[in-house]
Every structure is written in structure tokens, then in C-alpha cells.
Amino acid sequence: MKGYVFHGPGQSAWEEVPDPDLEEATDAVVRVDAVTICGTDLHILKGDVPEVRPGTVLGHEAVGEIVEVGAEVRTVQPGDRVLVSCITACGRCRFCREAMYGQCRGGGGWILGHLIDGTQAEFVRVPFADLSVHPLPAAVTDADAVLLADIFPTAYEVGVLNGRVRPGDTVVVVGAGPIGLAAIATARLFAPERVIVVDLAAARLEAARKLGAEAVADAREAPEQLVEDLTGGLGADVVVEAVGVPETFELCTRMVRPGGHLANVGVHGKPATLHLEDLWIKNVTITTGLVDTHSTPTLLRMAAAGRLPTSQLVTHTFPLDRMEEAYDVFAHAPETGALKVVLGGPRREVVPVPAA
């Protein structure tokens, strides 16, 4: 089959790789019908995630069809259309039993496209299939569903829930990429008074307005002053960091009010300074996190009911074999206007291989 392979910082290619096989009785093999590219994939290509070994197929989000399952898989079967979650869960370790699947110690967590071959390929092996894929309702299209593999649960859990957004809050989202935009959409489920969005790209600020942001600010034009003016000098109740660079994290710490919450979602490749000389007296809560995807079933029900603006985030579509072009478009989002790119190809018949 073909897959998008990481060969080291700045080096990757769409090339032939071995077909995946069942390795454990809890595995499933999924034919990939739709896949997307995440900002984390760009961090990997920059060398920010050194655990990813050269030769790894990238990607951790997909929609597809089950083609083979191990003997212990009970909840899905060949022919089922499923969402492949970005997080794999063994279901047995302490963290999984507390629904902290992202911290799984039984062989799961974020492993697809990180520690094992991922989803940016024609087929993918998914460990612990019973807890790591979700059967899809027919009402949810592939392009909509694939956004529920990562960006919506990440924004909702790590940004909105960790940030404890409440009715009447002022919420600031720094970074209007796909995660930031999903944070806007899911924060609005809690009826905040206002959502303020900060970014450098005019196109992304416009997308934020369309998703319901009441105010937007260019990051170069005193966003702190805007937040101060709109809150009567108090600062934001919740600030969501959705970029992952030291400057944006430090900006967030300056905009949060005393007693407020700063929810860091961005993937940081460099150290950021924590200014405790200013923050120690402010009763500020700072949270970090890798998504657990415990909210995925809820988000799927909401998507099926038309309550999530998933389709508004998809700006570009490609067939799978144009993966390199799709990466180039996504990596140059300020010039291309890309938010989420979705790749998929024509469905192919799967021919069973007779047992030896």
C-alpha cells in the first residue's frame, strides 16, 4: 500500500509501505476512506516530537471501513464504517479506568503516527479496537466525522472543559487555527458573554467571526488592551492557548483575570517562561493536557444532530495520493487560507485473502 512516511526533520514522502496485519487479538485493520492533517504532524516534521522514529507512517485521524478484526474484538466487525480516534485505549490500566485515555499505560495513548504507523495511508492497524474506533451514524459524512477524531475533542476537553467555561464568561482564544476554531464552537455551547479571538491571519480571524466570535484582534495590535477594554479592566475569565509558542503562552498569562483559568492546548516545542513573579498573587489556574477523547461519543451525537459546525472548517479536499500537495497547502495556511484539509479517494473493493 501507499503511506505518508516521516524520514526525519524536514523529510517525508508518499511511498510504498508494507500492508498492516493483525498483531494482537484486540486489533482491527481499517481501510482509510478519509484522513486529515493535524498541526501536530507539522510539529513532527519540524523535529519537535523526537519520539517519532524515521520510517513511521504519520497521521492519527481517520474515517474508514473495518476490513479485518482480531479474535477478541467484540464491538465492530468487517464492513462497519468507523471513526478512528487519535487516542488508543487499552481500557484496563489505571488511567483508562478513570477515562484518562490519553495517559494510557497499557500500550495505548497517542500512539498512531507517533509510536506506531498511523492513519495517513491506504490502510491502518488500530490496536484495542473495541475502545479506539467508534461506529459512525449514516447522518455524519466522512469529511465531518474525521474532524471528530482529534480537533473537536481536543478543543472541547483540553480547552473548554479544562478551562471551565461557564455562562456569562469572557473567553479569549489565542490562535484561530483548526483547534482554536473548534474551541470557539464548543465554548459557545456554554453561553459565554463573549468570545474574543487573537491571531495573525486576517482570513482566520474572519473564520472566527463566522463561527461566532464577538471580537477579534490582530496579535500585533495590542490584543491585551482590547481584552482590558471589553472587561472593564478585569481580564478574561478563560484564556485558551491554541498555538504552542512561548510568546502566545506568555500573552495568555497577561490576559487572564485574577481567579481565572488558562487552558494550554498548543503543542510546545520550546520552553516558555512562567512568570510566577506576576502570577503567584493572582489565583490563576493553568491547565495542560493531551486529549483523552472521552467526549467523542457525545460529540458524534451532536454532529449527527447538526449541532457542530464541522463542515465550516474544511477548506481543501484532495485524493489520498496527493498527500504531499495537501501538506504543502496546510503548512502554508497564511498564504493558502487552509483551515482543515481532508483527503480521501474512491472506495475500492477489498478482496479477502484465503487462509494459508
Side-chain angles (χ1 to χ4, degrees), residues 178-193:
I179 291 287
L181 295 174
I184 298 167
T186 52
R188 287 178 56 80
L189 299 172
F190 291 84
E193 179 183 0

Side-chain angles (χ1 to χ4, degrees), residues 3-337:
Y4 193 67
V5 181
F6 171 71
H7 289 294
Q11 302 176 60
S12 56
W14 176 254
E15 60 189 45
E16 287 196 5
V17 294
D19 292 344
D21 293 316
L22 298 176
E23 297 181 13
E24 303 289 344
T26 52
D27 290 350
V29 173
V30 177
R31 182 193 65 203
V32 174
D33 293 329
V35 69
T36 185
I37 302 170
C38 180
T40 304
D41 297 321
L42 299 184
H43 281 282
I44 292 170
L45 291 177
K46 291 177 183 176
D48 289 345
V49 189
E51 299 85 3
V52 181
R53 294 172 298 180
T56 301
V57 175
L58 295 183
H60 49 267
E61 310 155 87
V63 169
E65 183 176 307
I66 300 283
V67 297
E68 190 176 7
V69 297
E72 296 181 14
V73 175
R74 297 288 182 266
T75 61
V76 291
Q77 59 187 356
D80 286 351
R81 177 171 169 261
V82 296
L83 171 69
V84 178
S85 176
C86 65
I87 297 296
T88 304
C90 79
R92 297 176 180 176
C93 71
R94 171 176 174 171
F95 290 119
C96 283
R97 291 170 70 89
E98 295 176 0
M100 294 175 62
Y101 307 124
Q103 305 301 322
C104 175
R105 291 297 182 268
W110 173 36
I111 58 172
L112 290 171
H114 180 208
L115 305 180
I116 67 172
D117 285 339
T119 58
Q120 290 171 2
E122 294 174 309
F123 294 87
V124 60
R125 177 181 74 91
V126 182
F128 306 114
D130 279 333
L131 286 172
S132 306
V133 301
H134 300 268
L136 284 173
V140 182
T141 68
D142 288 358
D144 287 343
V146 76
L147 301 192
L148 303 180
D150 185 353
I151 66 163
F152 268 89
T154 295
Y156 182 56
E157 295 174 19
V158 186
V160 175
L161 295 185
N162 281 3
R164 299 188 183 180
V165 176
R166 296 178 299 180
D169 277 354
T170 291
V171 179
V172 175
V173 178
V174 178
I179 291 287
L181 295 174
I184 298 167
T186 52
R188 287 178 56 80
L189 299 172
F190 291 84
E193 179 183 0
R194 63 175 69 87
V195 177
I196 304 167
V197 179
V198 180
D199 200 281
L200 291 169
R204 291 191 165 189
L205 292 176
E206 181 59 29
R209 284 191 183 278
K210 290 179 179 178
L211 283 170
E214 285 78 13
V216 300
D218 188 307
R220 296 161 292 202
E221 297 178 0
E224 297 164 69
Q225 187 63 52
L226 175 64
V227 172
E228 184 173 343
D229 292 345
L230 291 176
T231 61
L234 292 178
D237 300 287
V238 180
V239 182
V240 177
E241 200 286 338
V243 180
V245 298
E247 295 80 6
T248 53
F249 176 79
E250 293 172 29
L251 172 65
C252 290
T253 66
R254 297 193 297 270
M255 292 192 294
V256 66
R257 69 164 174 82
H261 289 76
L262 193 170
N264 183 88
V265 186
V267 177
H268 288 264
K270 297 179 180 179
T273 301
L274 181 63
H275 288 284
L276 285 176
E277 74 277 11
D278 298 322
L279 295 172
W280 74 269
I281 201 170
K282 293 179 66 176
N283 294 24
V284 170
T285 299
I286 298 175
T287 56
T288 66
L290 174 66
V291 64
D292 294 311
T293 66
H294 61 75
S295 68
T296 302
T298 298
L299 294 171
L300 275 172
R301 291 195 300 272
M302 295 181 67
R307 297 293 303 278
L308 293 178
T310 48
S311 59
Q312 294 183 43
L313 273 66
V314 178
T315 55
H316 295 74
T317 58
F318 299 89
L320 273 177
D321 61 6
R322 288 170 61 189
M323 186 71 69
E324 293 175 349
E325 180 182 350
Y327 259 91
D328 186 61
V329 167
F330 186 64
H332 295 89
E335 296 82 26
T336 63

